[in-house]
């Protein structure tokens, strides 16, 4: 076998018939996972776990193995283009210019240039600095940072927080304009997040009191 699967005749086996059709995802539902690959970074198993949880919420996380061979550069940048969201797995060595044109240094710059929605996961303690300037720049953009330290269990609320951030940033809904479930139906992927959205709306609707 040459490792390449040829189309050939269609598979009419019971197993093939039982397999559910693969779902297609829109740009808004696609997320590019930018991370350092290799056991020394400890990120890939964590990203895989998160991807499963996000898929259950209607999002597709694309993790492209930089050590997988083939035309990785083209695959990486085409995939970033096809995703509205760029998710940074900020381990200690994130953003290093390794000389590879599709390393996290260039991925993050390309995502910024293409004005992607950037979500940051900080995987090192807050009192510790990233080793590379590009990571320090990314995590200094005054964006929301979601903590998940390398080697620790995934925070139970992390997938929902990412889903909420994607919807909040992408939505044209103005929370302060009488936001309610009947006026603005919540997408199915965010039904479990409604209590959080409702809290945000209620805070916006509260009058601001300015002390003289």
């Amino acid at each position: 076998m040459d490792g390449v699967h040829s189309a050939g005749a269609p598979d009419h086996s019971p197993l093939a018939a039982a397999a559910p059709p693969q779902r297609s995802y829109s740009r808004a539902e696609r997320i590019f996972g930018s991370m350092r690959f290799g056991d020394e970074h400890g990120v890939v198993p964590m990203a895989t776990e998160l991807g499963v949880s996000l898929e259950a919420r209607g999002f597709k996380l694309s993790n492209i193995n930089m050590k997988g061979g083939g035309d990785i550069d083209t695959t990486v940048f085409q995939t970033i283009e096809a995703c509205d969201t760029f998710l940074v797995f900020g381990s200690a060595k994130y953003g290093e210019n390794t000389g590879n044109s599709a390393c996290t240094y260039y991925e993050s710059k390309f995502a910024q240039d293409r004005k992607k929605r950037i979500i940051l996961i900080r995987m090192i303690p807050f009192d510790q600095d990233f080793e590379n300037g590009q990571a320090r720049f990314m995590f200094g953009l005054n964006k929301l940072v979601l903590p998940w330290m390398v080697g620790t269990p995934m925070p139970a609320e992390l997938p929902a927080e990412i889903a909420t951030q994607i919807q909040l940033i992408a939505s044209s809904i103005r929370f302060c304009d009488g936001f309610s479930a009947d006026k603005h139906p919540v997408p199915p992927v965010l039904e479990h997040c409604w209590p959080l959205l409702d809290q945000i709306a209620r805070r916006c609707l509260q009058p601001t009191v300015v002390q003289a």
Side-chain angles (χ1 to χ4, degrees), residues 138-153:
M138 295 287 290
F139 281 82
L141 291 175
N142 199 29
K143 294 180 180 291
L144 175 68
V145 174
L146 303 173
W148 183 15
M149 302 299 112
V150 169
T152 65

Side-chain angles (χ1 to χ4, degrees), residues 82-161:
C83 299
D84 275 356
T85 302
F86 185 83
L87 182 62
V88 173
F89 289 85
S91 56
K93 294 182 181 293
Y94 184 87
E96 179 182 0
N97 186 349
T98 64
N100 185 320
S101 59
C103 64
T104 56
Y105 175 83
Y106 289 110
E107 284 178 359
S108 57
K109 283 185 170 292
F110 183 72
Q112 288 176 291
D113 179 70
R114 302 305 297 165
K115 295 180 172 53
K116 296 298 177 179
R117 178 189 304 114
I118 295 175
I119 298 177
L120 305 170
I121 298 178
R122 187 180 181 98
M123 310 188 85
I124 63 173
F126 282 88
D127 60 357
Q128 180 180 330
D129 243 349
F130 291 96
E131 296 185 18
N132 301 287
Q134 178 63 9
R136 293 194 292 272
F137 172 76
M138 295 287 290
F139 281 82
L141 291 175
N142 199 29
K143 294 180 180 291
L144 175 68
V145 174
L146 303 173
W148 183 15
M149 302 299 112
V150 169
T152 65
M154 181 175 69
E157 68 279 4
L158 183 65
E161 287 180 332

